[in-house]
Amino acid sequence: VLSGCGVYDGTEIHEASAILVHLSRGGAEVQMYAPDVPQMHVIDHSKGQPAEAESRNVLVESARIARGKIASLAKLTTANYDAVIFPGGFGAAKNLSTFAVDGKDCKVNREVERVLKDFHKAGKPIGLCCISPVLAAKVLSGAEVTVGHEEEEGGKWPYAGTAGAIKELGGKHCVKEVTISFPVNFHVERQFTHVDTKNKVVTTPAFMCEAELHNIFDGIGAMVKNVLKLTGK
């Protein structure tokens, strides 16, 4: 499920691409969706500032990432799929919800809420990365998620405050890493992801951390692998 195209006002493109690569490697068949709604605003990514008097549609922008093969989220039927995954990017906090503006008092797009609740009720896994775990924390009471660390640590975790908001939303936050040091004496994937086995919610920090792209890629791979494992297929 995409939220536009571009980290500051839509889907984080590298995260979406990494998810698609790992799903392809895992043998999954994929269909992409996005809500057919206006973006909260448009950011000029070259300047990091809002583009005044410009508007875009979330579904239309998401189609760039999907190479045109995308449908309105309203058409997603849970019975047709084994799992659902949400990449991050500010679009999750601006277009799929109002978290960027309202924090713990945010509202979630009604179709996003429907999809999360339907997959949860059906006992089907839900994967989320970066900022998107706030969606599960808001919609699925008591869900265990990670957005990484709970302290900024000199700028390494610039969005660490999100962990506190997750707790205020009623979720449980679990501290996880994006990078690791070798050698390790336990399973590497456990450091990258959190698997809430009760709710079948799998999360990883991704770009919540100032980390190298290959580390982001590996963490997302661990998330995807665990989502696929939970499908039982």
Side-chain angles (χ1 to χ4, degrees):
V1 176
L2 303 178
S3 62
C5 182
V7 58
Y8 297 123
D9 58 11
T11 304
E12 212 301 319
I13 298 169
H14 298 296
E15 291 178 7
S17 180
I19 290 169
L20 291 168
V21 169
H22 288 295
L23 284 171
S24 177
R25 183 171 288 151
E29 294 182 24
V30 178
Q31 171 63 50
M32 282 173 269
Y33 291 90
D36 187 1
V37 296
Q39 288 186 186
M40 173 184 157
H41 60 188
V42 177
I43 296 293
D44 180 339
H45 281 61
S46 69
K47 299 177 181 177
Q49 299 174 349
E52 301 298 336
E54 185 172 349
S55 63
R56 298 187 185 182
N57 177 278
V58 175
L59 177 60
V60 172
E61 290 300 295
S62 298
R64 295 175 181 273
I65 297 174
R67 297 172 62 88
K69 297 179 181 179
I70 195 166
S72 170
L73 188 59
K75 297 181 179 179
L76 193 162
T77 302
T78 303
N80 294 339
Y81 299 99
D82 299 308
V84 64
I85 296 180
F86 291 79
F90 279 87
K94 293 179 176 180
N95 304 326
L96 303 188
S97 72
T98 64
F99 181 78
V101 176
D102 300 322
K104 66 181 180 63
D105 298 317
C106 68
K107 296 180 180 179
V108 175
N109 172 278
R110 63 181 183 181
E111 292 299 337
V112 172
E113 183 173 3
R114 174 187 66 82
V115 167
L116 286 168
K117 287 183 175 179
D118 285 356
F119 273 84
H120 182 256
K121 184 177 180 180
K124 296 181 176 183
I126 300 166
L128 311 103
C129 64
C130 196
I131 191 68
S132 66
V134 299
L135 302 172
K138 175 67 176 180
V139 174
L140 307 177
S141 179
E144 299 176 0
V145 301
T146 187
V147 289
H149 282 211
E150 299 180 356
E151 301 293 336
E152 291 189 17
E153 300 177 21
K156 181 179 179 181
W157 295 90
Y159 310 109
T162 305
I166 283 171
K167 296 174 185 178
E168 291 182 307
L169 287 169
K172 178 181 178 181
H173 185 258
C174 304
V175 173
K176 292 290 177 177
E177 304 291 341
V178 169
T179 60
I180 59 173
S181 300
F182 289 95
V184 292
N185 56 12
F186 58 93
H187 207 285
V188 172
E189 291 177 8
R190 294 178 184 176
Q191 297 187 63
F192 285 146
T193 62
H194 181 72
V195 181
D196 178 349
T197 53
K198 177 183 177 181
N199 292 298
K200 290 191 175 181
V201 174
V202 186
T203 51
T204 193
F207 280 106
M208 296 298 280
C209 179
E210 292 292 330
E212 298 295 332
L213 183 58
H214 68 280
N215 294 125
I216 306 296
F217 185 87
D218 291 343
I220 287 173
M223 181 267 286
V224 170
K225 183 176 181 181
N226 277 286
V227 167
L228 294 178
K229 187 184 300 182
L230 285 173
T231 67
K233 299 202 173 175

